[in-house]
Amino acid sequence: MPISYLDYIFAQSQQHPCLRDLCRFLGQAQTTDPCRIVCLEFRAVEGSLSRSIHEISDLATSLRDWSSADEIASSKVTGRVLIIEDLNNDVVGALGSTFDIDPLFFSYHIDHPTFNSFEPSSTISLPSKAYSQNFVTLRYSRAIEFMDIDFSRTLMTTSNVTRKVKILPSNSKRHIGFRQHCCSVLFMITKSGTWLGLILVDAINTNNYIASSGKEYTIQSRPFQGGFEDFISPKTYSQCQSSDPTALAHLKRSSLLEDLLFYWGDASPSVLKADHPTLLSIANYPLRIVAGEWKVYVEVMSSSIKLHEYSTAITAGTNILTHLDSDLRSLETWGRRQMQNVAKLRHIIRFLNFHIASEIEPGEYAALVEDYEHIITMIDTYGNRMASMIPVVASLVQIADTRRSLKEAENVTRLTNLALFFIPLTFVTGLFSMNNDISAQGMKRYFSVAIPLCVLVFAVSRLLPFMKVDRTWSPFRVFRTRRGDIKQVV
């Protein structure tokens, strides 16, 4: 009896532990939301490339139609690009069983996150293994600006494929955070002879999040600084004067699927050849969008450096120490992010360099490699700047703690002065209370003795710091005999 594709994945996870996130995803309760699927069909008509875009409501039916011989002969489709938003269990089983897809493609895309930051990731792949794969996984962090919140914490999205959201500390109601994103691109030749490009993207950005306690939050958010920059040259003024309503169309930047449809609907990549496409040509637009998102990430690092500029004019108090401790932890976290993100970018650069060699026109991709190298340089520069701030913050913590100790010493001095006032009064009160005849003479004699005594005590306490006292003198002198025994002489 043949096994299902899902059973095949569970069996392979025993040999490949990196599939454990995918198994956890497939084994969860079937409460997943339906995912959105868009198909781009390419046909070679009279030497030119034509394409059509339509959404798929029933993936299983479409897959059966594409595999039939009559459909292949009548449609004249040379290839398809499937863009799938917010993957679910049913889609994994349908695509994997139909096209015999490597489970690692789905596993690297899912990367099931947890609130435990010490749990290792299962998506680590050696470069030599990545070279032999027919897919690439593009990871990036989208910078988001959260409105009207007063906390910084780690949240999770409520989509099928959950992603971690980190809200950074801030001194105002305006918080900046990062939402983890992933775009996976696969290219293959199907059994029918047509080519298939499969692009997996994350769900549309919503305002619903869930905390580690299970509490759900609805937080208004928007892309930081409007999102990534459009890499397509803008239309000229004369082109915008046309009656074409798409002339003034713009990116929404709320969904990667919508962004990809915007670019694919406007024009196919110039490097895409309908008769002989490559993985690099299918991943052209995702690679450029991810580069734009990383550029925004660099802008967040720049603004964070400005927030961590300090002055020595700090006050001594619990609040400032708490603030400095939070900043110190934030700077250390930035160092960890730097290492992880540079590793992600290096993975993309290795992918580009490996596949550029087989491209007929590698010039456009060479510029893309230069863009990613520039992003790595900026992340390293800002990351090293933040690392140099850690000793400064540690020094400020020591200064604030010292000033707090001095302030506490001043309070102790005040208590001592207060005690010097009451001790003579207590002494005189006890002295007068021993004799009833003296105490009966009234308060006049009491104050005539107590006040001069208080003045004398205060005067002696003030003069003691200015007196030269031999602190080495002691009524007990200690010396050592020749035998080594210690004797004490009075």
Side-chain angles (χ1 to χ4, degrees):
M1 179 179 180
I3 62 174
S4 65
Y5 183 75
L6 301 184
D7 293 335
Y8 165 76
I9 293 176
F10 283 103
Q12 287 294 314
S13 64
Q14 303 298 324
Q15 184 177 356
H16 302 283
C18 56
L19 296 176
R20 66 174 183 266
D21 285 339
L22 179 58
C23 293
R24 191 183 302 120
F25 174 78
L26 298 175
Q28 64 187 2
Q30 294 292 332
T31 58
T32 55
D33 299 326
C35 59
R36 184 182 175 189
I37 304 175
V38 178
C39 177
L40 290 79
E41 293 186 343
F42 294 85
R43 296 176 176 85
V45 181
E46 297 179 356
S48 62
L49 181 65
S50 66
R51 66 189 181 282
S52 59
I53 303 176
H54 59 274
E55 293 200 23
I56 297 177
S57 57
D58 189 353
L59 180 61
T61 303
S62 299
L63 293 178
R64 286 195 300 267
D65 295 340
W66 296 344
S67 302
S68 63
D70 296 337
E71 176 68 18
I72 296 173
S74 61
S75 62
K76 298 181 180 179
V77 173
T78 59
R80 295 181 177 87
V81 174
L82 276 180
I83 306 177
I84 302 177
E85 182 182 74
D86 201 14
L87 192 69
N88 62 22
N89 301 10
D90 296 334
V91 174
V92 172
L95 291 176
S97 59
T98 303
F99 299 111
D100 196 15
I101 297 176
D102 187 350
L104 288 177
F105 172 68
F106 299 110
S107 180
Y108 287 177
H109 178 78
I110 291 173
D111 185 23
H112 196 73
T114 61
F115 287 100
N116 182 13
S117 59
F118 298 100
E119 182 173 342
S121 174
S122 63
T123 59
I124 300 175
S125 178
L126 295 176
S128 58
K129 186 175 182 179
Y131 293 153
S132 61
Q133 296 168 344
N134 63 338
F135 60 87
V136 61
T137 304
L138 309 176
R139 301 186 179 278
Y140 63 96
S141 298
R142 167 166 285 186
I144 303 175
E145 183 178 353
F146 296 92
M147 311 301 295
D148 299 328
I149 59 174
D150 56 355
F151 58 83
S152 59
R153 63 179 59 185
T154 301
L155 303 174
M156 291 288 184
T157 61
T158 57
S159 54
N160 294 335
V161 182
T162 56
R163 300 296 182 192
K164 187 177 293 187
V165 179
K166 176 63 179 178
I167 304 178
L168 304 180
S170 177
N171 297 328
S172 63
K173 291 291 185 179
R174 173 178 172 269
H175 283 250
I176 301 174
F178 295 119
R179 172 174 170 167
Q180 293 180 350
H181 277 267
C182 181
C183 176
S184 302
V185 183
L186 177 142
F187 174 78
M188 62 180 302
I189 304 297
T190 63
K191 298 177 181 179
S192 61
T194 60
W195 56 266
L196 174 68
L198 184 59
I199 304 177
L200 305 181
V201 299
D202 287 337
I204 187 172
N205 289 338
T206 61
N207 297 323
N208 299 321
Y209 305 95
I210 186 171
S212 58
S213 60
K215 182 180 179 180
E216 294 187 2
Y217 291 90
T218 300
I219 308 174
Q220 297 296 325
S221 62
R222 61 188 180 188
F224 179 73
Q225 293 185 351
F228 64 92
E229 291 288 338
D230 189 0
F231 51 85
I232 300 295
S233 300
K235 297 181 182 298
T236 62
Y237 174 74
S238 58
Q239 291 175 334
C240 293
Q241 298 300 314
S242 64
S243 59
D244 186 6
T246 61
L248 297 177
H250 58 85
L251 288 167
K252 296 182 180 180
R253 295 183 176 87
S254 60
S255 168
L256 183 56
L257 185 145
E258 294 291 344
D259 296 339
L260 290 174
L261 291 181
F262 174 83
Y263 289 116
W264 282 98
D266 183 67
S268 300
S270 58
V271 293
L272 179 63
K273 308 299 180 183
D275 55 342
H276 185 64
T278 60
L279 173 60
L280 200 53
S281 61
I282 299 296
N284 180 64
Y285 284 152
L287 283 168
R288 296 187 179 279
I289 293 176
V290 170
E293 294 286 0
W294 280 115
K295 181 179 178 297
V296 179
Y297 178 90
V298 172
E299 296 296 332
V300 175
M301 294 187 69
S302 177
S303 62
S304 297
I305 290 178
K306 297 177 183 178
L307 291 176
H308 290 89
E309 292 177 350
Y310 303 94
S311 172
T312 55
I314 58 176
T315 59
T318 306
N319 292 335
I320 187 63
L321 287 174
T322 303
H323 175 70
L324 290 175
D325 181 72
S326 176
D327 289 350
L328 185 61
R329 182 177 180 85
S330 176
L331 290 172
E332 292 175 346
T333 304
W334 274 112
R336 175 178 54 81
R337 291 196 192 104
Q338 176 188 358
M339 294 186 296
Q340 293 177 346
N341 294 331
V342 168
K344 297 174 185 177
L345 292 168
R346 289 293 182 192
H347 169 74
I348 297 177
I349 291 177
R350 286 195 299 267
F351 164 77
L352 287 170
N353 289 331
F354 177 77
H355 287 273
I356 282 177
S358 59
E359 291 292 326
I360 301 176
E361 301 177 358
E364 187 173 349
Y365 297 112
L368 192 57
V369 171
E370 187 176 355
D371 291 340
Y372 277 99
E373 290 285 0
H374 172 73
I375 293 172
I376 290 178
T377 301
M378 296 303 297
I379 290 179
D380 284 335
T381 301
Y382 289 139
N384 295 335
R385 178 70 179 92
M386 290 182 179
S388 65
M389 291 181 178
I390 294 179
V392 176
V393 178
S395 300
L396 291 177
V397 171
Q398 295 178 356
I399 293 174
D401 186 62
T402 302
R403 291 181 178 178
R404 186 180 64 175
S405 300
L406 293 175
K407 189 174 181 179
E408 292 176 354
E410 292 177 359
N411 296 332
V412 172
T413 302
R414 294 189 183 96
L415 292 175
T416 303
N417 294 335
L418 190 63
L420 287 175
F421 177 76
F422 282 100
I423 288 175
L425 296 179
T426 304
F427 172 74
V428 175
T429 301
L431 182 64
F432 276 43
S433 65
M434 291 186 298
N435 193 332
N436 294 331
D437 297 336
I438 297 177
S439 60
Q441 297 178 6
M443 297 294 294
K444 182 177 180 180
R445 183 172 296 181
Y446 171 77
F447 283 108
S448 64
V449 176
I451 292 177
L453 184 60
C454 289
V455 174
L456 179 62
V457 172
F458 271 102
V460 172
S461 65
R462 291 296 181 269
L463 291 176
L464 281 177
F466 301 98
M467 297 175 62
K468 294 183 179 180
V469 181
D470 186 8
R471 300 182 184 275
T472 61
W473 180 87
S474 174
F476 301 98
R477 290 178 296 173
V478 180
F479 66 93
R480 188 178 298 275
T481 62
R482 292 182 180 179
R483 294 182 178 179
D485 299 330
I486 296 177
K487 291 187 177 181
Q488 188 172 359
V489 180
V490 180

